[in-house]
Each structure stands twice: as C-alpha cells, then as structure tokens.
Amino acid sequence: MEHSQIEHTDCPLQSSRTLMLIKDALDTIQGKWRIRIIAVLLDGPKRFRELSTELETITDRMLSLELKNLEINMLISKKNKIQISYGNGI
C-alpha cells in the first residue's frame, strides 16, 4: 500500500497570515472558562446568575471578566431588556 506525501510547500497553513489568524482565534477562546461559557450559551441567552449557577465553581468576578472578554472579542453580545442576558451573538 502506497502512501502519498504532502510536500511542506503545499500546506495552506504555511502562510504567515493564516497562522496569525489561527493564533488569534485560539488566543480568544483559550482559558479554563471561555469554552465552557460558550457551550452553556449555545442553549440560548442566559442571565448572569443563570450562567453562574450552571458553571458552579466559577467566581462572580471571574465570570464577569470572562464575559467582558468574550463580548470585546464579539463572541457574545449583551442584551439589556430590563434584565441583562448574554449569548445572542453566538
């Protein structure tokens, strides 16, 4: 059985622009809580206390910091309709 080999120069990831985009994406979602927060929000918008309850061991301060970071990076949006909900941007 013969295996074909891909030459290193044929790899689309070789472009420095592509590598920088991948690095930026990974930097945006890295960390202990960000992917967990995004996963909880995939079920729909949640209020801060609902997120805190579902994530159990996260402190309110850490949750607040992570939500701000995700909002700055436009991964989530904060909606203010009398009560603040997160998640419609996903």
Side-chain angles (χ1 to χ4, degrees):
M1 184 174 215
E2 198 173 304
H3 294 284
S4 62
Q5 291 183 337
I6 298 174
E7 290 185 29
H8 190 61
T9 57
D10 292 340
C11 181
L13 296 179
Q14 191 155 7
S15 122
S16 61
R17 173 84 174 129
T18 302
L19 291 174
M20 286 304 297
L21 291 172
I22 292 170
K23 180 190 177 307
D24 289 346
L26 291 174
D27 286 346
T28 301
I29 61 170
Q30 78 176 3
K32 179 177 181 180
W33 294 107
R34 292 182 193 159
I35 292 177
R36 293 177 191 184
I37 292 168
I38 291 168
V40 169
L41 291 173
L42 287 175
D43 291 334
K46 304 264 192 260
R47 294 193 310 236
F48 185 89
R49 188 54 49 208
E50 292 172 314
L51 285 169
S52 180
T53 300
E54 284 197 46
L55 295 167
E56 294 180 6
T57 58
I58 192 170
T59 64
D60 286 350
R61 181 177 185 280
M62 180 57 69
L63 179 56
S64 180
L65 290 171
E66 294 293 3
L67 289 170
K68 284 178 190 174
N69 185 286
L70 290 169
E71 189 175 8
I72 287 168
N73 287 293
M74 295 185 276
L75 292 174
I76 64 170
S77 63
K78 182 167 49 172
K79 304 293 181 192
N80 189 357
K81 296 180 182 175
I82 301 174
Q83 298 174 344
I84 296 174
S85 295
Y86 294 89
N88 287 343
I90 295 178

